[in-house]
Amino acid sequence: ALFFVSSGIAGLAVGWLLDRYDPRWVVTFGALLSGVVLACAGHVTAMWQLYAFYILFGIGNAAVAVIPGMTIVARWFTRQRSKAIAYASTGLSLGGIVFTPLSAGLIERYGLMDAAYWLGLVLVIGVIPVALIVLRASPEAIGQAPDGDPPRRGADGNLLPPDGVSFEEAVRSRFFILCTAAFVFSMMAQVGSLAHQFRLVSTRTGDDQMAALAVAIMAAASIAGRLVGGVVLSHVASKTYLYAIYVLQALSFVLFAFVQGPIALFIASAVFGSTVGNMQMMQPLIVAEAFGLKAYGRIYSLSQLFMTAGVAIGPAAVGFLYEWLDGYGIAFLVMAAASLLAFIFILAGGPVRALIESKTDA
């Protein structure tokens, strides 16, 4: 919880910095802080040190991961933004698939203290050279335009600034408020269910290997769903696609609430997984579409801050319902209801580009 909270709060500062300064230095700082903190993991011996570890790691994560990554990708692509965000965010899933067993193997072989040094070094070496050599704030920063188009210039010949609305206008809009609320509830349901999927399958099948396979199916479906979604979104309105994701997520939770056999649980895991990756990429995509790029970093980071509240609450909420109601059935039906509530919020939010279009007409 401290990791998510500190990451969300630090994200506000990161968004502000990204709108004003070169992102290479923001990402470099995040990588250095994360690497140093991670290298110190083996030296944590007291509870206050554990809390400090996750607070500092959350700050570093905010500066090196989702917010800078999605902000930069959104600036570089317009027509192909959905594909670009889908491909870029695949790193989240692939990183978990690749580095989780690697980390476990290093810890088992060398112990936490020595393994942490290597993991911190890998993080620094894997991020900083790419950040310094490849990343640029925007295509306009090097005289280009999104999607490889010719640069847009004003009557005076100077490059036009990115389109969009101000931070103040965006955060007061109905769409921002209701869209953010939708992601709070949908991500609460998603992360809460992710945290309990292994235990649910293990309890119902009596086999931890079956549970591990169900988690693997979910992860694979997450990657596949995200890549398919990037293509589909080139032809379908983002809001329509998000409706479908919320309905599918609710359906997967209904299946988890009732099914018992391994095959049925695998199917439920695949349906759930197909929504996981898509949900993660839809927030940055729809924020960019709704409010443009003028103050994207700050707008997205504020939405992300509120969403982390749902992320932090989700696992505890499912666990509380499990204990209180003596089983996962009702708990997952409540998560299905949360997904449908998110559907209602998005529906009530109105047209995605209403604010930008009203300013353009004016």
Side-chain angles (χ1 to χ4, degrees):
L2 282 173
F3 171 82
F4 286 122
V5 170
S6 66
S7 182
I9 294 174
L12 295 178
V14 171
W16 184 86
L17 290 169
L18 290 170
D19 284 340
R20 286 165 173 77
Y21 301 105
D22 193 324
R24 289 178 291 180
W25 309 119
V26 178
V27 173
T28 296
F29 165 78
L32 284 172
L33 177 60
S34 298
V36 170
V37 172
L38 184 55
C40 294
H43 296 278
V44 173
T45 58
M47 189 61 72
W48 72 267
Q49 294 173 347
L50 186 67
Y51 294 153
F53 173 88
Y54 277 109
I55 290 172
L56 292 172
F57 200 48
I59 295 171
N61 176 76
V64 79
V66 175
I67 292 175
M70 295 301 100
T71 298
I72 293 168
V73 171
R75 290 173 180 172
W76 275 85
F77 298 90
T78 301
R79 295 189 305 276
Q80 301 295 327
R81 186 177 288 150
S82 60
K83 289 183 182 179
I85 288 179
Y87 298 156
S89 60
T90 300
L92 294 170
S93 300
L94 290 177
I97 292 172
V98 173
F99 284 101
T100 299
L102 174 63
S103 302
L106 285 173
I107 293 170
E108 182 178 357
R109 182 170 181 177
Y110 298 109
L112 178 60
M113 186 173 295
D114 290 340
Y117 295 143
W118 286 107
L119 293 172
L121 182 63
V122 167
L123 193 155
V124 169
I125 293 176
V127 172
I128 292 180
V130 175
L132 295 178
I133 296 170
V134 177
L135 295 187
R136 295 296 183 271
S138 66
E140 290 81 6
I142 58 173
Q144 298 182 14
D147 294 314
D149 292 340
R152 299 186 306 129
R153 298 183 182 274
D156 57 2
N158 293 325
L159 290 173
L160 293 175
D163 69 335
V165 300
S166 69
F167 174 77
E168 292 74 16
E169 289 177 293
V171 299
R172 289 197 301 264
S173 68
R174 179 181 68 172
F175 186 81
F176 177 85
I177 295 169
L178 292 178
C179 177
T180 299
F183 279 104
V184 168
F185 281 94
S186 61
M187 291 303 293
M188 176 194 73
Q190 181 185 108
V191 176
S193 302
L194 281 170
H196 290 267
Q197 181 195 3
F198 183 94
R199 178 175 171 80
L200 181 149
V201 177
S202 176
T203 300
R204 292 186 180 172
T205 63
D207 189 338
D208 284 354
Q209 290 185 345
M210 289 291 183
L213 180 56
V215 172
I217 290 172
M218 182 277 299
S222 172
I223 296 174
R226 184 186 287 120
L227 296 178
V228 171
V231 176
V232 173
L233 280 163
S234 300
H235 308 282
V236 176
S238 58
K239 198 172 180 182
T240 302
Y241 190 76
L242 193 54
Y243 289 150
I245 295 303
Y246 285 151
V247 170
L248 270 179
Q249 180 169 277
L251 173 62
S252 71
F253 295 153
V254 171
L255 291 174
F256 276 131
F258 293 109
V259 300
Q260 299 291 329
I263 301 301
L265 289 167
F266 293 160
I267 293 172
S269 298
V271 175
F272 177 42
S274 69
T275 70
V276 169
N278 278 292
M279 195 82 72
Q280 291 171 348
M281 78 172 184
M282 284 305 298
Q283 186 191 20
L285 180 62
I286 207 165
V287 167
E289 184 178 336
F291 305 112
L293 303 177
K294 181 179 180 180
Y296 179 84
R298 285 184 291 165
I299 297 168
Y300 175 51
S301 64
L302 182 61
S303 181
Q304 185 84 353
L305 170 63
F306 286 111
M307 190 196 73
T308 57
V311 169
I313 292 169
V318 176
F320 171 77
L321 291 169
Y322 173 83
E323 295 289 346
W324 183 36
L325 300 170
D326 195 27
Y328 279 123
I330 300 299
F332 273 79
L333 289 178
V334 171
M335 295 303 105
S339 300
L340 294 178
L341 184 59
F343 180 102
I344 294 171
F345 280 136
I346 285 290
L347 181 65
V352 175
R353 294 185 59 85
L355 193 56
I356 289 182
E357 290 169 353
S358 66
K359 286 182 68 65
T360 302
D361 292 341

